[in-house]
């Protein structure tokens, strides 16, 4: 029989939102606050973002530094942060079935905070046809490979997208010692700061192909190229051994959906209009 353990507040997700919520609740006397994180290290996406841009103007931080500080703050406030633990499903109104290093467990709480974040839509969800070679990443997978595991990623990369995160992925590729062949977007223009786009195109020599989609992945064993299609129907092949699908974020809404929270029909994330609408009292997102 699976053991049942009681906590006061259960926070699912140890990214910036979950850690900040846990620190605030613990500091304000919410009782036993426990944070669950399926990864082995708390901090969420920032821990793989070695670049700056976090913190404040007066105190700029890198992503890993921010992740460490948020995790430390939550623990100092009195919250328990448990890593390597996955929330599987609801086992009652405010009960969550979990599994971790110690095996399965049901956690019963007076309130549950869902801070499960979002993920980038991968190649399969974008319905990009072709073979299934090595060398296909999302930005998160790329950053983990380069910054956490120091893995080689190839020598020539195509970046799919032209948002801030796309340009950050291009920086990561260059930091890994690879060449960025091109940024490809189906939009008519980039979606980043003009100065950043201009620097990437002129100083880095990286072309931006607008009105263009990746129509097919090529190669067996290892990616050998991508077939692109312009809006006017013209096609071409870009030789590369790495492709990074960036942006197009979708919420990690599985627990919210199973928990009966009202979902926004456009974003598919929990709907918020000043106060969260939910059919499950005590669950927040």
């Amino acid at each position: 029989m699976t053991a049942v353990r009681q906590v006061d507040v259960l926070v699912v997700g140890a990214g910036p939102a979950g850690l900040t919520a846990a620190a605030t609740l613990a500091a304000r006397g919410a009782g036993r606050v426990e944070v669950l994180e399926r990864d082995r290290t708390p901090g969420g996406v920032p821990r793989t973002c070695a670049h700056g841009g976090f913190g404040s103007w007066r105190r700029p931080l890198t992503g890993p530094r921010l992740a460490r500080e948020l995790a430390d703050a939550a623990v100092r406030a009195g919250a328990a942060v448990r890593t390597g633990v996955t929330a599987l499903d609801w086992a009652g109104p405010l009960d969550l079935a979990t599994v971790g290093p110690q095996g399965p467990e049901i956690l019963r709480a007076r309130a549950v905070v869902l801070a499960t974040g979002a993920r980038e839509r991968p190649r399969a969800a974008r319905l990009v046809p072709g073979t299934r070679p090595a060398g296909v990443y999302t930005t998160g997978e790329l950053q983990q490979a380069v910054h956490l595991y120091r893995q080689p990623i190839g020598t020539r990369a195509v970046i799919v997208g032209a948002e801030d995160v796309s340009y950050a992925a291009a920086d990561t590729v260059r930091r890994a010692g690879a060449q960025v062949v091109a940024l490809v977007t189906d939009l008519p223009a980039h979606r980043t700061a003009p100065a950043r786009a201009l620097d990437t195109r002129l100083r880095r020599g990286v072309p931006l192909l607008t009105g263009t989609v990746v129509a097919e992945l090529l190669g067996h064993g290892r990616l050998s190229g991508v077939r692109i299609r312009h809006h006017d129907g013209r096609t071409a092949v870009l030789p590369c051994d790495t492709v990074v699908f960036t942006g197009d974020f979708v919420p990690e809404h599985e627990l919210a959906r199973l928990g009966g929270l009202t979902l926004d029909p456009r974003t598919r994330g929990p709907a918020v209009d000043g106060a969260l609408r939910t059919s499950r009292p005590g669950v927040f997102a």
Side-chain angles (χ1 to χ4, degrees):
M1 183 177 179
T2 304
V4 179
R5 187 163 56 84
Q6 180 79 43
V7 299
D8 292 299
V9 181
L10 188 61
V11 180
V12 183
L19 291 172
T20 301
T24 302
L25 290 166
R28 294 186 178 182
R32 177 171 174 77
V33 179
E34 191 163 303
V35 186
L36 304 183
E37 172 56 52
R38 64 187 177 191
D39 286 339
R40 295 294 177 180
T41 306
V45 171
R47 66 191 178 89
T48 66
C49 300
H51 54 81
F54 297 89
S56 64
W57 285 105
R58 293 185 177 181
R59 190 168 177 270
L61 299 173
T62 64
R65 178 69 180 272
L66 174 69
R68 289 192 299 270
E69 291 196 1
L70 290 176
D72 291 344
V75 172
R76 284 198 308 272
V81 180
R82 298 177 59 211
T83 59
V85 180
T86 300
L88 301 173
D89 199 355
W90 298 96
L94 291 174
D95 298 355
L96 275 176
T98 69
V99 65
Q102 307 305 317
E105 183 180 43
I106 293 177
L107 292 175
R108 178 168 296 157
R110 292 192 295 112
V112 177
V113 178
L114 301 180
T116 47
R119 62 180 183 270
E120 288 175 301
R121 202 182 301 273
R123 173 260 181 105
R126 301 182 194 220
L127 304 179
V128 178
T131 55
R132 300 181 63 183
V136 181
Y137 298 89
T138 62
T139 308
E141 292 168 340
L142 172 74
Q143 291 173 330
Q144 290 191 39
V146 173
H147 298 309
L148 293 186
Y149 305 117
R150 303 293 190 268
Q151 296 174 340
I153 63 162
T155 59
R156 291 171 54 84
V158 169
I159 309 295
V160 182
E163 310 168 39
D164 286 338
V165 67
S166 314
Y167 285 85
D171 291 340
T172 302
V173 166
R174 286 193 296 268
R175 184 171 298 187
Q179 175 190 356
V180 180
V181 176
L183 285 92
V184 177
T185 177
D186 62 344
L187 299 174
H190 61 78
R191 292 291 187 270
T192 191
R196 187 177 196 180
L198 193 64
D199 177 78
T200 300
R201 182 168 61 88
L202 296 182
R203 191 161 70 89
R204 305 290 186 180
V206 179
L208 171 63
L209 307 181
T210 59
T212 304
V213 298
V214 171
E216 185 181 6
L217 302 189
L218 309 173
H220 296 279
R222 180 79 195 191
L223 185 75
S224 63
V226 297
R227 189 182 309 281
I228 59 172
R229 184 175 64 248
H230 302 284
H231 281 183
D232 61 8
R234 292 179 297 116
T235 64
V237 172
L238 298 179
C240 62
D241 56 14
T242 303
V243 61
V244 185
F245 290 94
T246 70
D248 197 3
F249 290 95
V250 292
E252 295 269 15
H253 67 236
E254 285 78 7
L255 281 177
R257 176 174 53 81
L258 292 171
L261 274 69
T262 302
L263 300 183
D264 185 292
R266 183 176 61 86
T267 66
R268 300 306 296 164
V272 179
D273 57 358
L276 183 68
R277 301 190 301 273
T278 174
S279 61
R280 189 180 289 256
V283 180
F284 306 92

